[in-house]
Amino acid sequence: MDGIKEKIKELSESLRCCAELRADSLKLTAVELLTKMSALLLTFLVLSLPLFFAVLFLLVAITILLVRVVGVVWSFFIMSAALLLFSVILYLLCRPLFSKVMLRTFCRMFFKKENNDEK
């Protein structure tokens, strides 16, 4: 009889451990999805402003170029090219940067920090 009680106790402990692992797995999946979505959203927001100004300067430059051809126009072309280059650099750098920041933030939200004494 004692053997059966021990087996049932081991089984319930295993089921509790399995449920905790399943919950941790779901949390990891949620963290991964939230990180990807947040990084993509922040990257889009950061890129939209320089791209807007790049297009704006390009359109102003073309307008001024059509009105009269002067040296000032080339400064608008240079500015729009610089903003486009800046947007490409931001695109390449922001996604990994935001992914890491969001990953840390969501991991802190979903997972408790364990003490070294419990291990």
Side-chain angles (χ1 to χ4, degrees):
M1 193 71 165
D2 289 333
I4 294 174
K5 287 182 181 178
E6 288 178 23
K7 296 287 185 183
I8 290 174
K9 189 175 181 179
E10 288 177 18
L11 178 63
S12 66
E13 186 67 27
S14 295
L15 288 174
R16 184 187 62 76
C17 183
C18 181
E20 288 176 1
L21 289 174
R22 180 68 178 157
D24 285 345
S25 173
L26 290 173
K27 287 178 185 179
L28 280 173
T29 303
V31 165
E32 181 183 10
L33 290 174
L34 286 172
T35 300
K36 287 181 181 179
M37 287 181 353
S38 299
L40 184 63
L41 178 66
L42 287 174
T43 301
F44 174 75
L45 290 175
V46 167
L47 287 177
S48 63
L49 190 62
L51 286 175
F52 170 76
F53 282 113
V55 170
L56 181 68
F57 279 117
L58 189 62
L59 291 174
V60 169
I62 291 172
T63 304
I64 292 174
L65 182 64
L66 292 175
V67 173
R68 59 188 175 123
V69 179
V70 189
V72 175
V73 173
W74 293 109
S75 66
F76 285 111
F77 281 121
I78 291 170
M79 181 57 76
S80 63
L83 285 171
L84 285 172
L85 180 64
F86 181 67
S87 297
V88 169
I89 292 170
L90 279 178
Y91 177 75
L92 295 175
L93 296 177
C94 283
R95 183 174 277 174
L97 176 69
F98 288 145
S99 294
K100 290 176 186 177
V101 170
M102 288 296 151
L103 180 62
R104 270 186 256 133
T105 302
F106 290 132
C107 281
R108 284 187 200 128
M109 283 174 43
F110 284 105
F111 296 103
K112 297 176 187 171
K113 193 172 191 177
E114 294 184 14
N115 295 331
N116 291 334
D117 299 336
E118 295 177 3
K119 290 183 179 178

